[in-house]
Amino acid sequence: MKVLVSMNAFKGSLSAKEACSLVAQGFLRGYPEAVVSERPLADGGDGTVDVLLEALGGYPETVEVTGPYGDPVRARVGIVDGGKTVIIESASCSGLALVPPEKRDVYRAESRGVGELLRWAALRGARRIIVGIGGTAMNDGGIGMAQAAGALIRDADGRDVPPGIPGLFSVASVALGSIPDTFRDIQVIGISDVSNPLVGPEGATAVYGPQKGINPSEIDAVDREMKRYAEILGRDLGRNPCDLPMAGAGGGLGGALWAFFGAKLVDGARFILEETGVFEEMDECDLVLTGEGTVDSQTKKGKVPFAVASAAAERSIPVIVIAGGLADDVIVEHPAEYSAMFSSTVRPMTVQSAMGVSRETLPFVAEQIARVARIFSLRFPSRFETSAGGVVVRRGPSGPELLLIEDRFGVFTLPKGHVDPGETEEQAAVREVLEETGIKACIKGEIGVTRYRFFDDLGRPVEKTVRYYLMEPLSENPRPQEGEVSKAFWADARQLSRYPTYPNNRAILEKAIRRVEELS
């Protein structure tokens, strides 16, 4: 079985690369014959730079810019293709995760750092700038970003509007300023983890404002000002992003990128799937595992698990989603693209506790999934083989003795092997006993048949039927087959429990002993 593991980050707990590694390790514990490949993913939010750099090559640089509340932060950017492409992660300079929950203030939060990174990339010679829009702290409509990049956004008195949400309330006019000159012939691509428009019940303020800290009683007022700002963009720039899909990403950052830079807004997860070559790798797989920290109804709006599941569904490949937690809405309305969903939270606990044990629980759940997959794979063999073997019994000084071998895995078992072309099963059994133990023997009767399933060297399930015959030895001294058998010896039939063997062999051995006792 070929398995592709493509996980997003578990925010606050695991990077995408770490999550992939843990899932892959767990799966291989439960299904050691599987071939597992890892492709960490992102969707435009936290981890986007790392994922794209790992897939595309290049190197990171650190740039000091303005953080979400005006303090300096060191943002990590990706340099690809000799600097022709620069990858910016808005979360690294204007991200919600940069500030502890108790210190967050969405009213003050601004996107200025994103604009500073854009300008930095343009001035160092970039011809393509990829901007990950997700994971941000602000709801400023991208005003801070545009100002830092060179735009003029003024109030009724002709002054620059203040940062954060107050800027939305005071904006009266906009102009491109120096943006056309600075960004001439530069392609800007905004990759988004959501598809929300800028305003309205599905817009940036209504959906994500409460998560960022906007007072519910002020949602409508802020949304009205966001709409007014969009109309000003339409009036002054000829580009109104009100109803534009993905314009609501990053608290309106998506709409500003489109309005001021003519940026192409794309589904972040799908963009990264294409850039990293996951589609091609997926074509060769039997199963895909994906997931992230929380899977809920919003996951369908541009997050990694749904993008992966959609791509796999197009190829008729099953997808299993492993989340840190599953929200009630996704449990009630199970997306058809998900073949199955699992939570890595294995017992009731707080979110903080779940994050603390994710390195243990995530591979554990992956291992259980793998064990189930392995069971069902073995239930449907792709090939059938026939073998024959011998239970050679002699009368020892104190009772019956059986001829056993110790195989290369350290397990005590019976001599057996393939039935060669033109050979009967009886002939094969006699030959295998001689080859593996050096003992000549003759058949006294048939004992029974065992069947077992295993995976061949290519990982394909095989069912083998082994027919065993009761035999009498014609020689006395065993000689193990070199390279195949570690030991060949006579064992006291009454002490077989001393020799660990395969479960199906135990039943054959016991049946042989009863036959010997009946014949005695």
Side-chain angles (χ1 to χ4, degrees), residues 39-231:
R39 285 285 189 171
L41 291 177
D43 50 24
D46 303 81
T48 294
V49 167
D50 290 336
V51 167
L52 285 175
L53 279 181
E54 181 166 337
L56 303 179
Y59 58 92
E61 284 195 20
T62 301
V63 183
E64 186 173 288
V65 294
T66 303
Y69 303 121
D71 298 322
V73 297
R74 293 178 63 79
R76 197 161 179 263
V77 300
I79 310 299
V80 178
D81 192 22
K84 293 180 181 178
T85 295
V86 173
I87 306 162
I88 293 171
E89 192 176 299
S90 299
S92 71
C93 57
S94 302
L96 202 60
L98 295 175
V99 183
E102 66 275 9
K103 295 185 177 180
R104 292 172 186 169
D105 183 356
V106 67
Y107 295 91
R108 291 176 49 224
E110 62 174 319
S111 56
R112 187 170 189 84
V114 182
E116 291 171 347
L117 288 179
L118 279 162
R119 187 174 178 83
W120 175 87
L123 294 177
R124 79 182 309 279
R127 309 320 301 159
R128 182 174 76 146
I129 305 175
I130 300 169
V131 185
I133 306 176
T136 58
M138 66 278 181
N139 196 77
D140 71 343
I143 287 175
M145 176 275 297
Q147 288 175 318
L152 303 175
I153 304 179
R154 302 284 170 74
D155 62 17
D157 296 323
R159 297 172 299 191
D160 290 337
V161 299
I165 288 176
L168 280 178
F169 280 76
S170 58
V171 62
S173 65
V174 300
L176 293 177
S178 64
I179 286 178
D181 290 334
T182 305
F183 294 87
R184 189 180 307 279
D185 299 325
I186 297 176
Q187 181 188 26
V188 178
I189 301 172
I191 60 175
S192 172
D193 58 348
V194 297
S195 58
N196 304 71
L198 185 63
V199 299
E202 293 297 316
T205 304
V207 175
Y208 303 107
Q211 299 175 16
K212 295 179 178 182
I214 297 179
N215 191 311
S217 64
E218 298 176 349
I219 293 292
D220 288 343
V222 175
D223 191 55
R224 281 196 301 271
E225 292 304 313
M226 186 76 82
K227 184 177 181 180
R228 187 182 67 83
Y229 161 64
E231 290 170 346

Side-chain angles (χ1 to χ4, degrees), residues 484-503:
E484 291 293 328
V485 177
S486 300
K487 185 187 300 183
F489 62 99
W490 295 103
D492 188 332
R494 294 170 300 179
Q495 299 184 25
L496 290 180
S497 60
R498 295 170 48 192
Y499 305 104
T501 188
Y502 300 105

Side-chain angles (χ1 to χ4, degrees), residues 463-474:
E463 180 180 291
K464 177 173 283 191
T465 298
V466 185
R467 192 175 300 278
Y468 284 102
Y469 295 90
L470 182 64
M471 295 184 183
E472 180 182 327
L474 301 177

Side-chain angles (χ1 to χ4, degrees), residues 304-485:
V304 163
F306 191 74
V308 171
S310 298
E314 294 168 4
R315 294 160 172 79
S316 300
I317 301 170
V319 172
I320 295 178
V321 177
I322 309 176
L326 297 172
D328 290 343
D329 53 10
V330 80
I331 295 173
V332 175
E333 297 183 19
H334 188 297
E337 290 81 359
Y338 300 163
S339 303
M341 292 183 290
F342 292 84
S343 171
S344 65
T345 304
V346 296
R347 62 182 180 277
M349 62 180 74
T350 64
V351 173
Q352 205 62 35
S353 296
M355 291 167 62
V357 298
S358 58
R359 293 181 183 277
E360 290 76 41
T361 58
L362 188 57
F364 171 79
V365 171
E367 180 181 347
Q368 305 316 303
I369 293 169
R371 288 178 178 275
V372 173
R374 188 176 189 274
I375 289 169
F376 282 96
S377 292
L378 286 172
R379 294 297 298 169
F380 301 100
S382 62
R383 191 173 80 251
F384 296 85
E385 295 181 355
T386 301
S387 291
V391 183
V392 186
V393 183
R394 76 176 184 180
R395 177 64 60 180
S398 58
E401 295 178 339
L402 298 176
L403 181 63
L404 295 183
I405 64 171
E406 183 181 4
D407 65 19
R408 62 181 184 273
F409 304 109
V411 179
F412 297 96
T413 185
L414 297 164
K416 67 178 185 303
H418 293 290
V419 177
D420 290 339
E423 197 176 37
T424 67
E425 292 179 357
E426 291 89 342
Q427 290 169 334
V430 171
R431 175 181 54 75
E432 287 292 338
V433 169
L434 178 61
E435 289 179 355
E436 293 193 347
T437 70
I439 294 293
K440 293 182 179 180
C442 62
I443 293 176
K444 291 298 183 179
E446 184 178 325
I447 290 184
V449 173
T450 65
R451 290 182 176 84
Y452 64 97
R453 296 184 175 97
F454 62 95
F455 292 95
D456 64 16
D457 293 339
L458 297 177
R460 297 171 300 194
V462 179
E463 180 180 291
K464 177 173 283 191
T465 298
V466 185
R467 192 175 300 278
Y468 284 102
Y469 295 90
L470 182 64
M471 295 184 183
E472 180 182 327
L474 301 177
S475 57
E476 293 293 321
N477 299 317
R479 185 182 67 256
Q481 182 181 14
E482 188 175 345
E484 291 293 328
V485 177

Side-chain angles (χ1 to χ4, degrees), residues 133 141-142 145 198 229 233 239-242 244-249 251-261 265:
I133 306 176
M145 176 275 297
L198 185 63
Y229 161 64
L233 291 173
R239 299 175 75 84
N240 183 337
C242 261
L244 181 71
M246 303 183 202
L253 181 61
L257 287 169
W258 177 77
F260 286 97
F261 298 89
L265 301 183

